[in-house]
């Protein structure tokens, strides 16, 4: 068997175009969606991610504000800036790019963002809403994975989903969304014993560990759907330095039923879902304005 490729880039293109249309309608009614992105310092990877987010907004007709603050910005300054953005009616989404420099407390910073504008879905009240099944937002990467699975027609109810990784950004919310779709969910992590055995029982395997090519073909049930959230560099060999996922694509693809490539799988979906959340927030704000 050779796996069907789940083309995240194509689906993301479609979603970006839909968001462009919705943003146009909102703008014509005087409610152009707006996203504020705050970058503190000059982490090279973060700078690239932020640039992509701003470009995506521009192409979809979403207004973006990029606040690039120096690495030694004080927490008080950053919180004051977030406070101003919380009170700016033209800003519907606020994203503070992580990681922050070590002198800043990420949790305090996240909790300063209005939950109504928390398009990352990192705020504790939004995480709580997600847990109880009444989400205000869904975090971009797990949301993108759910959209990919839905688009591919993968049945989730009763399926065994194994999530490898327990981060607050991906692993935990991913497991929750799969559970809410009635999958039976196992969460594995760096301390899990017999990881390969757990993986081999998965109908749907989501790899979000951040370790290059650690999930190999022998760890995959024949016909399983494999979702690779990883974004790493090949450590050695002829492809050294090239982008790769947490899954060893070459050994996994002949075994899996469907698989996301890296790049071109989950990554573009994450970016697209940020636009979805921003447009959704603007839509709600416009509705609230109308009912005032
Ligand atoms: N750093 C890496 N991924 C993310 C993300 O999804 N949101 C934010 N704010 N920072 C990140």
């Amino acid at each position: 068997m050779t796996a069907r490729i789940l083309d995240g880039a194509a689906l993301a293109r479609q979603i970006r175009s839909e968001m462009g249309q919705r943003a146009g309608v909102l703008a014509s009614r005087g409610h152009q969606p707006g996203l504020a992105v705050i970058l503190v310092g000059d982490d090279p990877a973060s700078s690239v991610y932020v640039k992509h987010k701003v470009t995506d907004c521009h192409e979809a007709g979403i207004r973006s504000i990029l606040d690039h603050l120096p690495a030694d910005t004080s927490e008080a300054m950053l919180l004051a800036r977030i406070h101003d953005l919380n009170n700016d009616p033209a800003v519907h989404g606020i994203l503070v790019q992580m990681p922050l420099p070590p002198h800043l407390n990420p949790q305090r910073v996240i909790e300063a963002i209005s939950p109504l504008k928390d398009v990352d879905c990192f705020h504790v009240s939004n995480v709580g809403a997600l847990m109880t099944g009444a989400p205000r937002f869904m975090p971009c990467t797990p949301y993108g994975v759910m959209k990919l699975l839905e688009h591919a027609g993968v049945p989730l109810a009763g399926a065994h989903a194994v999530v490898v990784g327990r981060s607050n950004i991906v692993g935990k919310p991913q497991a929750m969304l799969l559970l809410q779709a009635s999958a039976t969910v196992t969460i594995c992590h760096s301390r899990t014993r017999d990881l390969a055995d757990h993986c081999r029982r998965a109908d749907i395997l989501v790899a979000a560990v951040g370790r290059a090519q650690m999930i190999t073909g022998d760890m995959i049930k024949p016909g399983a759907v494999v979702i690779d959230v990883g974004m790493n560099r090949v450590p050695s060999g002829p492809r050294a330095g090239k982008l790769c996922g947490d899954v060893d694509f070459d050994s996994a693809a002949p075994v899996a039923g469907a698989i996301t490539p890296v790049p071109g799988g989950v990554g573009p979906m994450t970016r697209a879902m940020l636009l979805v959340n921003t447009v959704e927030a603007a839509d709600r704000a416009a509705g609230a304005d109308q009912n005032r």
Side-chain angles (χ1 to χ4, degrees):
M1 181 186 295
T2 286
R4 166 182 170 203
I5 303 296
L6 302 179
D7 187 348
L11 181 56
R13 234 182 342 265
Q14 188 185 317
I15 291 171
R16 287 201 305 270
S17 152
E18 287 164 13
M19 289 311 112
Q21 285 170 24
R22 278 182 70 186
V25 171
L26 281 162
S28 70
R29 296 186 192 143
H31 297 286
Q32 184 186 20
L35 174 70
V37 180
I38 301 177
L39 173 64
V40 187
D42 298 294
D43 178 76
S46 292
S47 303
V48 172
Y49 291 145
V50 158
K51 212 184 294 171
H52 285 155
K53 288 168 186 174
V54 169
T55 308
D56 289 345
C57 282
H58 179 71
E59 288 176 6
I62 294 172
R63 196 172 75 96
S64 66
I65 300 167
L66 173 56
D67 257 359
H68 189 177
L69 305 177
D72 62 357
T73 298
S74 69
E75 196 165 291
M77 285 271 293
L78 179 55
L79 296 182
R81 183 62 189 135
I82 292 171
H83 178 78
D84 288 346
L85 294 167
N86 282 342
N87 291 314
D88 184 341
V91 171
H92 306 98
I94 302 171
L95 179 151
V96 179
Q97 187 67 26
M98 301 290 164
L100 288 169
H103 67 283
L104 299 171
N105 179 320
Q107 211 50 45
R108 263 203 303 272
V109 171
I110 289 166
E111 302 315 332
I113 297 171
S114 162
L116 300 176
K117 300 189 178 189
D118 169 37
V119 283
D120 266 325
C121 193
F122 289 173
H123 192 286
V124 72
S125 81
N126 286 327
V127 174
L130 184 76
M131 285 283 290
T132 55
R136 182 182 281 125
F137 293 109
M138 289 195 256
C140 299
T141 298
Y143 192 7
V145 168
M146 297 308 283
K147 280 281 168 203
L148 260 176
L149 291 170
E150 180 190 312
H151 185 76
V154 176
L156 300 178
H160 185 195
V162 174
V163 178
V164 189
R166 55 174 159 178
S167 69
N168 287 333
I169 296 186
V170 184
K172 287 187 212 168
Q174 187 70 72
M176 202 47 55
L177 292 179
L178 288 162
L179 180 65
Q180 278 159 13
S182 299
T184 301
V185 182
T186 302
I187 305 177
C188 298
H189 48 81
S190 54
R191 304 287 293 275
T192 296
R193 255 182 268 138
D194 305 322
L195 176 66
D197 285 348
H198 287 288
C199 291
R200 272 193 291 267
R201 280 194 280 272
D203 301 311
I204 299 155
L205 180 63
V206 181
V209 260
R211 283 185 51 193
Q213 299 170 319
M214 78 164 281
I215 307 285
T216 45
D218 58 314
M219 299 167 74
I220 293 168
K221 182 201 273 195
V225 175
V226 177
I227 305 289
D228 191 351
V229 179
M231 186 63 79
N232 315 290
R233 298 275 168 192
V234 179
S236 57
R239 295 190 64 245
K242 297 253 188 270
L243 267 186
C244 72
D246 292 348
V247 177
D248 176 35
F249 187 89
D250 290 347
S251 66
V255 185
I259 189 167
T260 58
V262 176
V266 175
M269 290 300 293
T270 298
R271 285 168 57 180
M273 300 328 279
L274 177 63
L275 304 186
V276 172
N277 281 348
T278 304
V279 169
E280 196 58 45
D283 214 342
R284 284 181 208 146
D289 228 22
Q290 216 154 44
N291 295 332
R292 203 174 286 161

